[in-house]
Every structure is written in C-alpha cells, then in structure tokens.
Amino acid sequence: MGKDPEHAKFFDWRMALSHAIRDRIVDRWVASTRRTYEQDGKRVYYLSMEFLIGRLLEDGIVNLGLVEEVGETLRTFGIDYRSVLEDEPDAALGNGGLGRLAACFLDSLSTIGCPAMGYGIRYENGLFKQSFVDGRQVESPETWLQEPHPWEFGRPEVRFTLGFRGEVTTENGRTVWKPSELLQAEAFDTPIVGWQGRWANTLRLWAGRAVDPFDLDRFNAGDFAAAAEHEALARTISRVLYPEDSNEAGKELRLKQEFFFSAASIRDILRRFEGQHEDLRALPKKVAIQLNDTHPAIAGPELLRILHDERGLSFEEALEITHGCMNYTNHTLLPEALERWDERLFGRLLPRHLQIIDRIDDAHYRANPTRLLSARSDGQVKMGELSFIVANKVNGVSALHTDLMKKTVFKDLHGLHPDRIVNETNGVTPRRWLHSCNPGLSSLITDSIGDGWIADLEQLERLEPFIGKDDWLHRFRAVKAENKVTLCDYIAERHGMRLNPDAMFDIQIKRIHEYKRQHLNILEAIAHWQEIKDTPGGDWVPRVKIFAGKAAQGYHFAKDIIHLINDVAKVVNADAETRDSLQVIFLPNYNVTLAEHLIPAADLSEQISTAGKEASGTGNMKFALNGALTIGTLDGANVEIRERVGEENFFLFGMLADEVMQRRMIHDHAQQAIAADPRLARALEAIRSGTFSPQDPGRYVHIADNLTWSDYFLVCSDFSAYWQAQREADHAYRDPDLWARKAALNVARSGWFSSDRTIRGYMCDIWGAESLLAP
Ligand code: 26W
C-alpha cells in the first residue's frame, strides 16, 4: 500500500492483509483452473443476477485455516483483528434469499472441488443502504466500489460486444440480426476458495463499457458531456441492482441487464468450449448451465441463436443442444414475481430472440400436439414457461415448494413432462454460517467430535450423546449466553440501546413482505405488551424482539410495516411498567454481516410465513444450526427442518397450505377471527386508534383496515395459534436445561441443511458433474 505502518489506517491494514491472503489463494486458483482444463470434465455455469456475497476477507482467512496466524501477526503490529475485518464493506450484490443462496453454492462448489463458474453483473451500486428517519425507511446509494476492491481481478482482455434493437434480415439464406445499439461487457474475476483451500473456482462479473468510450470530436467541439455520453450510457447497464425481490419491474433496463450478462456469459462459455473442442454437438457433455430463476432465461434463446444463426446448425439441432445444457431453478410461486415481458418491449429490444421463442413454441407444440402451452401468448413473453420448455431439468427449492410447483404454476407443463421437475432443498454453507460466525459453538463442537463436520455437516448428529451430559450442556448454554452479551454490546455501541442478555432473543430477519408476516409478529408483540400491562408484577418471561430487513423502494405497505414496528418499539421501550419484560428493536441496514452478528445470539427463530408462500427460506436453516428453536408454520423448508430436528423441538402453528386456500374462500375470514379472539381485536384497535402514533392518530388505520377487511395473508386467522405457540415458547424457556437440550438437538440434527448436500444433489440429479478433488 506504500504506507508506513506507523501511519497506516485500518483500511491500509485491511488492504495489505487482503493482498497477503489473496497471494496464497492465487496459487490454488491457477492450479484448479489448470486441472480443470487437463481433466476436460463437465463444467458447471451458474448464471445469476444476484450474488449476495457479504465480506470476503474473513472467508479467505478461515478457508485457508489462517485465523490464528493472522491474529498473531496483527497483534505484533498492535492491530486488532476484528477491527480490520469490520472495515470491509459488504458486497451487497443481491436482494435476499436467491442472491445469498448463489453465494453459498459457490462456497460449496469450491469446497467439493466441482469445476464451476458463477456469472453475474458487477453492479457499481449494490442493494441500497437503509436508514431510519422518524422510524421510516430511507434509502441511499450503496457505493462499495468507491474504494479499491482487493478481491477482484480486472480481465480487460475478456470483452464481448453485445447489442440491442436493430433489425433482422436474411443474407444468403442465413438470418442475420444487426443490433443498432452496441456496448461491451468486460470481465472482472473473483476467486472463490473452498474449505482448506484445496480448490478455487471463479466468479466472473460483467461490467458495461462503451465500444468507443470517448468522442474526441465532440470534446474538441466543447460538447464535453456528450463526449463521454457513450461511456456513461454503457455503464448504466451495470450501475445498480434492481431492489425488487418479488415484484417484477417490467422495466426496459432490467431486461437489458438480463440480456447483457446472459449473452456475455454464453459467448464466454462457447469461446472456452470451442477452444478445446471441435464438435458443438458435444456441448451438453461438457457444459451444464443453471438458470438461477428466470432472470437469465434469455440465455437459452441466445445460445440457440448463436448455434443456428452464426454457427449454421439446423434449428432442431441447435434446440436439442441448448435443451441438453440448460437447467432452471424456480424460487417463488408469487404471481407478481413471475417475469412476463410485454412482447412489444421484448421485440423492440431483442427482435431476433422473439422470433426464436416463437420457433421454440412451435417445436414444442409439434412435439406435444395434445396441449398448446407456449412461452409467448396473450401479448406477453412468459419467462417461467420459456425456461421450463427449454430446460432439461427444472427444480424447486424445498419439498413442499416443488410439490406446489407441480400442482399450480407448472401444472400443465408438468403434465406434459412428468419427469422434468426434481427437488433440491436449499442449504447454507457451514463455513460462514457456523464455523466463522459462531466461533464459540464451533470450538465446542470440534472439541466434542473433531472438525470433520465443517466439510461433512451431517457429522453433527454425533453430538447427540453429549447433549445428555450436564457439563456439555452447560458449556453449550455458556456459548449462547456469551453470544448474547456480545450482541448486546454490539447493539449498544451502534444504536445506544441496552438489551437484557437474559431475555429470550426472538429474532425475525429477512426482506419485509406481507407473506413473511412481520406484521403478525408485531401484532403479537402488542398483545403481549397489553397483557403485561394488565398484570403488573406478573411473572412474564423477559423477551427481546429483534427485527431487521429492507423493503423494496416502491413497496409502500411494507415500508409502513417498518414504520409501525419502529413506532411500537418507541412506545414499548419507553414504558417503565413493561420494559423489563419486553423490548423491541428494528436494526437498520440488514445485510449479510449483520446476520452473522445476530444469528449466533438467537434463542427463537421467526419463520411465520403464510403456508405455501415461502419457497424454502434459508435463514431458518442458519438459525437451527446456531442453536435457535423455530416458531413457524409448515411452509417451505420449515417442514423438513421440523421433520429432522423433531416436532418436540419446534414450535409449530398455523394453517397448512391447502387450508389456506380453503380459509380464503370464506369472505369474512378476518372478521370471524377477530370476533373470536378479544386479544387480537384489542391489539388491532390499538393500532387503529393511534396508540403508537399519538402525534398522527390515523397513521395506521389502513393497516388495521387491510387486516380486518382483506387480510390476504391470513394474519388474523393464524393469530390465536401463533399467540399460543409463543406462550409455549415462554413456558419452555423457563427451564434453561430443557431449552438448551432442544436447541442442541436442533444443531445436531440440522447437518442435512448444508449447501454441500444441496450441491451434491445438483451434481448428481441435474448436472452430471464430478469433483476433481481426490476424496
Ligand atoms: C423480478 C423480481 C424478482 C427478484 C428476485 C422476483 C423474485 C426474486 C427472487 C426469486 C426472490 C427470492 O429471493 N426468493 C427466495 O429464494 C430463496 C432461495 O431459494 C428461498 O429460500 C426463499 O423462500 C425465496 O423467497
């Protein structure tokens, strides 16, 4: 860094340390790439609009097993290890579950030694920063690339020219697309090193660049802004991540982003394949492409276009090869999240691809004349249907979700292709989400069963015999207690609020959405507060309710839920009668790093979505692995968590997915629920009457009205059962050893939720890929 240690700032120490670690990673990276070329095995390409990576320095240090050495080295300079780590900004290149899953998958692919590349966009601005002004969410640009980023390697030599618009003509029998708007995609590579540094794969992120960045003539004509216009326009395509996580924007720039990185990735994949192979018909034997939801779905028609229009293969052959390579993962059943592009917008931007999609539909209909199921219909291009038709394998992300896919959104296509849909229940990397973020629990486990569990998580079940032993259980309880004190200090330092470390830490952290029902959680908190006030001196189990999560900018109801939670917190925390029994806090700017601070300290994990709405959830897995008990519905992967940890170690409540459908048939289902539960009615009335917004009494009438008159996500109908489950949790928490046993059994029985197990499923059921590492 060209700095004198005497005057170096944390930033300089972090950069210096990053370069020292990176230096050690590069060797394994080069060796892995060389071995991949030598072996010429099947490669996996994971195409995703989002990679929610978080910080990378500690990940590198932990995966190389250098924690002690680094700590010691910094100590010789009088520098604190954690402070250097805290200086790193998160790479917030994602919205939530889908993006974080992609990051966990990269860690597992490298740990297993599966030759793979992640492809995405190098957003200059990640997911917006969230702060609160008078309890309201305020967004500000996230500028992680404003300072040097030590974990990326620019690849100026890897550039592809791409285009939009223009026209499609035929020249000597060949269809030729001449795009009228051109730009370039430039590659930036990040090494992804696996556990124990045995393998390292590449994450390649594309940045928009102008074909000719600077117009000297215009500059000399004094038209300075215009001179740099092309560069600015090209950069726009990789400027910012769309902050929507369940509502398709339908915006032109979004479609341009999707095509931009998909097309650059396909070009790069073909360049690499053709560098080693003659016959394009062998492509499906050497290449498996995974579409992370429909966002990169255009990659299918783009590969087909190149094979047919540019390489001259017949349409049928090009389609067969494309079909052999492509696979699609669906992550949501929410209708508003399924991408359906207006065909005029689509046709304007990608005229040739629209033609190719029509031919794909024709070919599909010719092969399946019984039912006309097409990607293009009713003036829209439906990316879910397109992905299904093009893909070799389609998967859901939990057993329940995959089942619902077959019964709902893909019912007809499933009927036509009954063996195309498979299930791959999600997982999380145990390196970041246990070994690294919870060193106390990690060393207790390693002391007990050795450290094999870090790369073979189902070894955790060998903890069960220890759980019966008092001294082990006390060490387990001590670890949790210490994590809670650490979190209290972290929050006091940053937010000036002192939480009670002996209280039950009840945490709900995820994107704000009505189907995730943060408003059910705060409604229960209000009823709890009211009940405590009714029984002064009552023997209540002290509870700390922690919320965190961002709402999409345009999702006003979600933003109002955040405002309500902050307003309730203000009133409850100021209430002298109750604050020893109940505290509520909403922490701003939820991201990967904050999750790493919160999850190890959790006692109760809130997974309370309306059944049938949460495709899987992955936070639920992280909490169980860190010794928290789940209060939840039978939704997504909660079903499989409860099956594995044991129903007695899970606080279940609420309607099942099919009961939800039934209940909605009753037009006044909410009023009936309110009439049947005075506790619910009273809590709702408090919201309606402005108890939490005395200066603006009518502020939350619309929330109370929504819950009373429509309540699409059945908050009221599930309230009583939820209240009951919360009281059961209180009861269990009164017996610390009982609680600890249940919590420890959650740890011991959650090994299956490793993303290593998930990736091995993809390798076996979908990709047909092998590890290149000796077992
Ligand atoms: C087009 C806008 C948009 C952007 C992102 C629509 C939908 C998405 C994602 C699919 C939303 C998402 O993150 N889904 C979550 O994916 C996780 C990983 O599989 C699951 O665990 C969550 O249940 C699911 O909500």
Side-chain angles (χ1 to χ4, degrees):
M1 297 299 292
K3 278 285 184 82
D4 173 342
E6 294 307 306
H7 307 296
K9 302 270 179 297
F10 277 132
F11 169 77
D12 304 308
W13 288 108
R14 173 167 68 85
M15 294 308 255
L17 180 56
S18 301
H19 286 291
I21 297 296
R22 169 179 122 156
D23 193 28
R24 285 162 178 70
I25 290 175
V26 165
D27 310 334
R28 297 112 200 279
W29 194 15
V30 170
S32 305
T33 306
R34 186 173 301 138
R35 187 160 167 67
T36 302
Y37 273 95
E38 283 160 10
Q39 292 294 311
D40 187 24
K42 189 156 196 185
R43 294 163 184 254
V44 171
Y45 294 106
Y46 200 82
L47 273 58
S48 179
M49 277 284 268
E50 306 183 17
F51 288 95
L52 197 40
I53 297 166
R55 289 172 173 165
L56 276 170
L57 176 53
E58 184 170 21
D59 206 47
I61 295 168
V62 166
N63 272 317
L64 292 180
L66 292 173
V67 175
E68 268 70 45
E69 286 83 353
V70 167
E72 188 44 48
T73 305
L74 288 173
R75 255 192 302 283
T76 61
F77 291 101
I79 301 293
D80 170 59
Y81 175 53
R82 301 261 17 128
S83 310
V84 171
L85 296 180
E86 288 293 328
D87 180 73
E88 182 180 356
D90 270 39
L93 308 181
N95 280 286
L98 170 140
R100 182 56 232 178
L101 185 83
C104 283
F105 278 8
L106 292 182
D107 181 81
S108 288
L109 285 161
S110 290
T111 294
I112 291 167
C114 176
M117 279 186 83
Y119 278 115
I121 297 180
R122 181 182 179 263
Y123 301 106
E124 287 184 40
N125 296 87
L127 186 61
F128 62 82
K129 272 206 193 78
Q130 177 197 52
S131 54
F132 296 137
V133 176
D134 302 335
R136 285 175 191 280
Q137 170 179 297
V138 171
E139 304 89 18
S140 55
E142 193 289 319
T143 53
W144 72 300
L145 282 179
Q146 237 158 24
E147 54 185 41
H149 174 41
W151 298 106
E152 71 173 6
F153 294 73
R155 298 290 189 235
E157 76 282 7
V158 182
R159 269 180 176 235
F160 295 100
T161 300
L162 310 166
F164 297 104
R165 303 183 200 285
E167 55 181 19
V168 180
T169 57
T170 331
E171 285 163 15
N172 41 27
R174 280 271 192 96
T175 306
V176 179
W177 171 37
K178 287 200 180 59
S180 59
E181 188 186 318
L182 297 178
L183 82 161
Q184 293 196 322
E186 181 181 342
F188 289 78
D189 290 354
T190 293
I192 305 293
V193 65
W195 175 241
Q196 294 175 329
R198 302 173 61 217
W199 190 268
N201 281 323
T202 302
L203 170 59
R204 178 159 282 182
L205 300 178
W206 301 101
R209 294 283 178 267
V211 175
D212 52 2
F214 185 62
D215 186 328
L216 190 57
D217 301 343
R218 285 200 170 163
F219 187 88
N220 294 340
D223 196 346
F224 305 132
E229 189 188 24
H230 285 168
E231 181 63 7
L233 271 179
R235 281 180 62 187
T236 304
I237 205 157
S238 54
R239 174 79 69 175
V240 66
L241 165 75
Y242 264 87
E244 309 291 336
D245 84 322
S246 61
N247 195 9
E248 67 126 355
K251 298 273 186 319
E252 181 179 291
L253 178 58
R254 169 81 180 190
L255 180 55
K256 289 177 88 173
Q257 287 185 329
E258 294 185 353
F259 180 74
F260 163 75
F261 97 97
S262 300
S265 305
I266 291 293
R267 290 274 184 204
D268 199 38
I269 291 168
L270 278 178
R271 174 189 57 75
R272 191 172 299 107
F273 174 82
E274 291 173 315
Q276 270 191 302
H277 309 93
E278 301 308 306
D279 186 353
L280 278 163
R281 276 176 290 265
L283 198 67
K285 290 191 186 51
K286 300 295 182 180
V287 167
I289 296 173
Q290 194 66 33
L291 304 175
N292 198 17
D293 217 281
T294 59
H295 313 152
I298 192 67
E302 174 63 1
L303 173 57
L304 212 163
R305 181 186 72 82
I306 294 172
L307 295 176
H308 180 55
D309 291 2
E310 298 184 12
R311 300 291 189 278
L313 275 68
S314 71
F315 189 88
E316 290 61 36
E317 211 164 19
L319 177 57
E320 195 186 336
I321 291 170
T322 302
H323 179 66
C325 293
M326 294 288 169
N327 304 286
Y328 155 54
T329 302
N330 173 279
H331 296 268
T332 181
L333 301 176
L334 294 178
E336 69 268 25
L338 301 175
E339 294 191 296
R340 295 176 170 194
W341 293 103
D342 176 277
E343 64 183 10
R344 287 157 303 166
L345 163 64
F346 198 100
R348 258 198 320 274
L349 225 50
L350 302 166
R352 179 54 179 152
H353 297 79
L354 191 57
Q355 294 173 348
I356 285 174
I357 290 169
D358 286 343
R359 292 192 63 181
I360 291 172
D361 278 342
D362 295 350
H364 184 249
Y365 184 58
R366 269 197 307 281
N368 311 278
T370 55
R371 289 295 310 279
L372 175 58
L373 291 171
S374 53
R376 183 182 177 187
S377 62
D378 333 318
Q380 295 182 315
V381 180
K382 296 183 279 187
M383 304 311 272
E385 282 75 357
L386 174 68
S387 304
F388 192 111
I389 290 169
V390 166
N392 183 38
K393 285 292 180 195
V394 173
N395 76 283
V397 290
S398 78
L400 175 63
H401 170 63
T402 301
D403 199 41
L404 289 174
M405 279 169 66
K406 294 174 179 174
K407 291 185 182 133
T408 60
V409 282
F410 294 120
K411 187 169 182 302
D412 302 332
L413 282 165
H414 174 59
L416 272 185
H417 309 282
D419 50 10
R420 190 168 292 184
I421 295 181
V422 295
N423 175 240
E424 302 295 348
T425 297
N426 282 164
V428 298
T429 170
R431 273 70 64 186
R432 183 180 292 265
W433 296 110
L434 183 44
H435 180 49
S436 177
C437 74
N438 196 341
L441 181 55
S442 173
S443 40
L444 173 59
I445 296 170
T446 298
D447 294 354
S448 313
I449 61 171
D451 71 355
W453 60 273
I454 300 172
D456 179 13
L457 203 57
E458 289 182 65
Q459 288 189 24
L460 289 179
E461 63 197 22
R462 292 168 45 212
L463 287 172
E464 294 222 23
F466 292 88
I467 296 171
K469 300 198 176 68
D470 289 356
D471 64 335
W472 190 92
L473 206 61
H474 282 134
R475 288 177 61 194
F476 178 83
R477 285 179 51 188
V479 166
K480 181 61 76 177
E482 193 187 330
N483 289 346
K484 292 167 72 172
V485 169
T486 305
L487 180 62
C488 288
D489 297 344
Y490 180 87
I491 291 175
E493 204 177 297
R494 281 166 181 73
H495 306 287
M497 182 174 174
R498 176 56 62 184
L499 300 176
N500 167 9
D502 304 325
M504 183 201 298
F505 277 24
D506 165 354
I507 302 182
Q508 186 172 23
I509 48 177
K510 52 189 71 221
R511 287 295 295 253
I512 310 299
H513 198 289
E514 286 165 90
Y515 86 79
K516 295 173 184 282
R517 301 202 292 191
Q518 281 90 356
H519 45 344
L520 171 59
N521 189 338
I522 198 65
L523 207 56
E524 191 275 338
I526 293 167
H528 189 179
W529 172 65
Q530 292 170 321
E531 202 106 344
I532 296 169
K533 288 179 81 56
D534 292 350
T535 56
D539 171 21
W540 288 93
V541 170
R543 176 85 69 120
V544 168
K545 273 196 183 267
I546 300 176
F547 292 85
K550 294 173 179 176
Q553 258 110 329
Y555 192 176
H556 298 295
F557 196 88
K559 291 175 118 171
D560 294 339
I561 290 174
I562 294 176
H563 197 188
L564 172 63
I565 295 170
N566 277 321
D567 275 349
V568 170
K570 208 161 56 187
V571 171
V572 168
N573 297 335
D575 185 331
E577 285 175 25
T578 64
R579 67 167 160 246
D580 295 346
S581 303
L582 178 62
Q583 292 175 292
V584 177
I585 186 168
F586 198 123
L587 296 169
N589 205 35
Y590 178 57
N591 60 16
V592 170
T593 296
L594 183 53
E596 290 174 26
H597 285 289
L598 288 169
I599 291 171
D603 295 308
L604 193 67
S605 156
E606 296 273 355
Q607 309 298 334
I608 61 175
S609 53
T610 310
K613 293 296 177 190
E614 189 70 86
S616 163
T618 45
N620 46 9
M621 300 164 184
K622 296 162 187 169
F623 278 109
L625 270 174
N626 282 274
L629 299 185
T630 303
I631 184 165
T633 52
L634 277 183
D635 194 18
N638 291 359
V639 175
E640 291 151 273
I641 290 173
R642 183 169 173 269
E643 277 163 11
R644 287 178 181 273
V645 303
E647 58 189 60
E648 69 284 0
N649 304 314
F650 188 107
F651 298 107
L652 178 71
F653 77 95
M655 278 171 282
L656 305 178
D658 49 9
E659 290 171 336
V660 164
M661 313 302 234
Q662 301 304 322
R663 182 74 182 177
R664 276 221 191 94
M665 309 301 204
I666 306 166
H667 75 281
D668 60 345
H669 54 77
Q671 289 111 77
Q672 289 187 22
I674 297 165
D677 187 333
R679 209 179 265 123
L680 168 59
R682 187 182 178 202
L684 269 177
E685 187 45 35
I687 291 176
R688 179 188 300 285
S689 61
T691 305
F692 307 106
S693 54
Q695 72 288 9
D696 176 9
R699 177 178 294 172
Y700 298 117
V701 168
H702 68 295
I703 293 184
D705 283 348
N706 170 285
L707 291 177
T708 307
W709 306 114
S710 63
D711 194 15
Y712 181 80
F713 294 100
L714 302 173
V715 166
C716 294
S717 300
D718 265 348
F719 180 87
S720 309
Y722 180 52
W723 171 271
Q724 211 43 54
Q726 288 286 14
R727 300 296 73 80
E728 278 159 32
D730 277 344
H731 181 70
Y733 195 75
R734 288 182 187 284
D735 178 343
D737 275 350
L738 170 75
W739 185 277
R741 262 194 305 280
K742 289 175 181 291
L745 286 171
N746 268 267
V747 176
R749 297 171 179 174
S750 293
W752 189 77
F753 296 102
S754 166
S755 47
D756 299 352
R757 181 270 312 155
T758 311
I759 287 295
R760 284 201 177 87
Y762 279 85
M763 290 168 71
C764 175
D765 310 338
I766 299 178
W767 302 329
E770 305 287 325
S771 164
L772 294 187
L773 275 176

